[in-house]
Amino acid sequence: DAGVTQSPTHLIKTRGQQVTLRCSPKSGHDTVSWYQQALGQGPQFIFQYYEEEERQRGNFPDRFSGHQFPNYSSELNVNALLLGDSALYLCASSWQGGPYGYTFGSGTRLTVV
Amino acid sequence: AQSVTQLDSQVPVFEEAPVELRCNYSSSVSVYLFWYVQYPNQGLQLLLKYLSGSTLVKGINGFEAEFNKSQTSFHLRKPSVHISDTAEYFCAVRDGGATNKLIFGTGTLLAVQP
């Protein structure tokens, strides 16, 4: 039973560029949440997708956007990258948004130079 | 708003010694609490969770935590640590909104020394 799969594992981008990160949820899960973990910090909630809709957004600018596909996989897009966007981006999947069974992926390490 | 405070940024301990990692929370709704572990260059793995019922929760790898409502704490304990327990540990509380998002603390690095 595959867990949460994220791709790519590492990424280096230049300031001002755009990036797309991908997440495939655990089998049986239909909800995907994205978190940003800056170095030395705890993960911060970006947004959650359920039934292909964004349900809630954390304190992140509109440069951060997402999408969920009919197969429940999800993408996180970040436009106009800033140095401060350098972080580990974690995807977590669950069933109908419940926190009881959150499963996290291994993350995508984004470095902006 | 919900919040989590992890009082220690780093806890050094010798192998086979007991350890306690402290976590205090604030929440205005029914409390769901979690401990996650993060090994270097990896994602988060759930150690244990408190949803309701017994206040002593047992998790994986010999860890346990006790929910104390009066002290708003959820401290993590292990009676005897191993070198392999060296990792970052995060306490989290469920936010009461529609998404049930998790609010994380800043983490505690458990550094087990031989």
Side-chain angles (χ1 to χ4, degrees):
Chain A
D1 180 20
V4 177
T5 304
Q6 291 188 246
S7 63
T9 55
H10 296 84
L11 204 52
I12 299 175
K13 289 287 189 179
T14 304
R15 276 180 300 175
Q17 284 188 315
Q18 180 264 345
V19 68
T20 297
L21 311 182
R22 296 176 176 83
C23 173
S24 293
K26 180 179 178 180
S27 177
H29 286 181
D30 61 0
T31 304
V32 173
S33 302
W34 287 93
Y35 289 79
Q36 180 196 64
Q37 185 181 14
L39 199 61
Q41 300 296 317
Q44 299 290 318
F45 176 76
I46 303 175
F47 43 52
Q48 184 181 89
Y49 277 84
Y50 173 65
E51 294 186 334
E52 302 181 45
E53 295 286 334
E54 181 183 295
R55 286 216 297 191
Q56 189 177 1
R57 168 180 285 268
N59 189 24
F60 281 83
D62 291 344
R63 297 187 298 109
F64 289 77
S65 64
H67 188 78
Q68 186 178 36
F69 299 93
N71 66 353
Y72 308 123
S73 66
S74 176
E75 289 182 348
L76 164 65
N77 301 293
V78 187
N79 294 322
L81 285 167
L82 304 174
L83 295 180
D85 294 331
S86 296
L88 180 67
Y89 289 84
L90 295 165
C91 171
S93 72
S94 59
W95 171 243
Q96 293 188 349
Y100 327 106
Y102 271 160
T103 301
F104 281 83
S106 296
T108 294
R109 173 73 63 187
L110 172 64
T111 303
V112 182
V113 298
Chain B
Q2 285 70 32
S3 66
V4 172
T5 301
Q6 292 185 246
L7 299 168
D8 305 299
S9 60
Q10 186 169 349
V11 173
V13 63
F14 287 107
E15 194 173 19
E16 298 184 7
V19 70
E20 178 179 84
L21 305 184
R22 297 181 293 170
C23 173
N24 287 88
Y25 68 91
S26 67
S27 176
S28 57
V29 297
S30 59
V31 177
Y32 293 172
L33 293 158
F34 306 82
W35 276 99
Y36 284 86
V37 60
Q38 186 175 39
Y39 298 102
N41 300 314
Q42 294 190 25
L44 301 176
Q45 180 182 7
L46 180 66
L47 276 177
L48 49 81
K49 60 189 175 189
Y50 172 79
L51 304 181
S52 65
S54 173
T55 57
L56 183 63
V57 180
K58 294 190 181 297
I60 62 171
N61 301 340
F63 284 93
E64 64 181 33
E66 186 158 16
F67 171 61
N68 188 319
K69 187 174 182 179
S70 63
Q71 297 187 6
T72 61
S73 68
F74 190 55
H75 300 333
L76 181 70
R77 302 186 184 99
K78 186 170 183 178
S80 176
V81 296
H82 303 286
I83 294 288
S84 59
D85 292 323
T86 295
E88 191 83 26
Y89 291 79
F90 292 95
C91 182
V93 65
R94 180 199 70 158
D95 183 73
T99 61
N100 286 308
K101 69 176 187 268
L102 296 178
I103 308 297
F104 285 88
T106 52
T108 297
L109 175 62
L110 175 61
V112 182
Q113 305 164 15

